[in-house]
Amino acid sequence: MVDVVQKVDGAPDVAAKWGYEVAERGFTQVPHYLMFLNQFVDEGHRLTPVELLLLIQLVSVWWRKEEQPYPSMATLAVRCGVSERQVQRSVARLEKLNLLKRVKRRTSGIISSNAYDLTPLVEFLVKVSEIYPNAFPRQIARGKLKLPKDSLSPVEGT
């Protein structure tokens, strides 16, 4: 069996780690400060599990900085495993906490699903990162690693 491990910026290729079937569906970057957000805010402002999952779902469909994500409430409800009403309440609270802004959309003059401006979330996470700097930074020295000549050739597996 031959296993080819490709390198991208020094990190193992997603397909090599998770398998092609899983990687083919797509991957999303989620900032650690978002994943650990509740440890940085006071008790009255902590997010519920649904609110946090909703933000992760919105981040997962935000592919280009200049294009706001716009999944429907129904889509978000299915992806989060909750009712549309629960999504509506969660979006309202996230908007109240100033972590996102709803943007009304129209497609060919017809009202479409909301878009979600995540700029407030980005700004908040930047503030969090300034107040709580990374206690465990990755020690990666870029450009200093020298690979053996045959490191990019297929590796024999068992």
Side-chain angles (χ1 to χ4, degrees):
M1 181 172 136
V2 175
D3 182 24
V4 178
V5 179
Q6 298 176 355
K7 301 273 182 179
V8 179
D9 289 336
D13 181 52
V14 171
K17 186 191 295 185
W18 293 94
Y20 290 101
E21 294 78 12
V22 173
E24 196 173 51
R25 182 70 171 137
F27 271 77
T28 302
Q29 293 182 21
V30 177
H32 279 131
Y33 281 109
L34 174 57
M35 299 293 290
F36 307 140
L37 186 64
N38 281 339
Q39 73 185 19
F40 302 117
V41 295
D42 63 59
E43 197 170 322
H45 292 95
R46 289 192 181 138
L47 302 182
T48 67
V50 173
E51 292 163 351
L52 186 56
L53 182 56
L54 183 63
L55 283 177
I56 291 169
Q57 289 295 331
L58 289 172
V59 167
S60 77
V61 293
W62 186 29
W63 298 317
R64 293 182 182 91
K65 183 179 179 181
E66 64 280 353
E67 295 177 21
Q68 299 167 335
Y70 53 90
S72 69
M73 293 280 182
T75 297
L76 290 169
V78 167
R79 290 181 180 171
C80 291
V82 297
S83 69
E84 283 186 55
R85 183 66 188 121
Q86 182 69 32
V87 170
Q88 292 168 352
R89 282 192 296 269
S90 296
V91 167
R93 182 156 184 269
L94 291 169
E95 200 168 28
K96 184 178 177 184
L97 291 170
N98 197 30
L99 292 176
L100 61 78
K101 292 179 188 171
R102 274 184 276 202
V103 179
K104 303 240 183 255
R105 287 186 337 118
R106 290 185 174 266
T107 305
S108 302
I110 299 171
I111 296 174
S112 291
S113 61
N114 292 323
Y116 298 92
D117 181 357
L118 297 175
T119 305
L121 175 64
V122 172
E123 291 169 353
F124 183 73
L125 292 180
V126 168
K127 287 178 189 173
V128 169
S129 73
E130 290 168 354
I131 296 169
Y132 300 98
N134 186 358
F136 305 102
R138 298 177 95 188
Q139 301 296 320
I140 299 174
R142 299 218 182 260
K144 295 188 178 190
L145 178 64
K146 294 192 179 192
L147 299 173
K149 287 182 183 180
D150 62 345
S151 65
L152 298 179
S153 60
V155 176
E156 289 295 322
T158 57

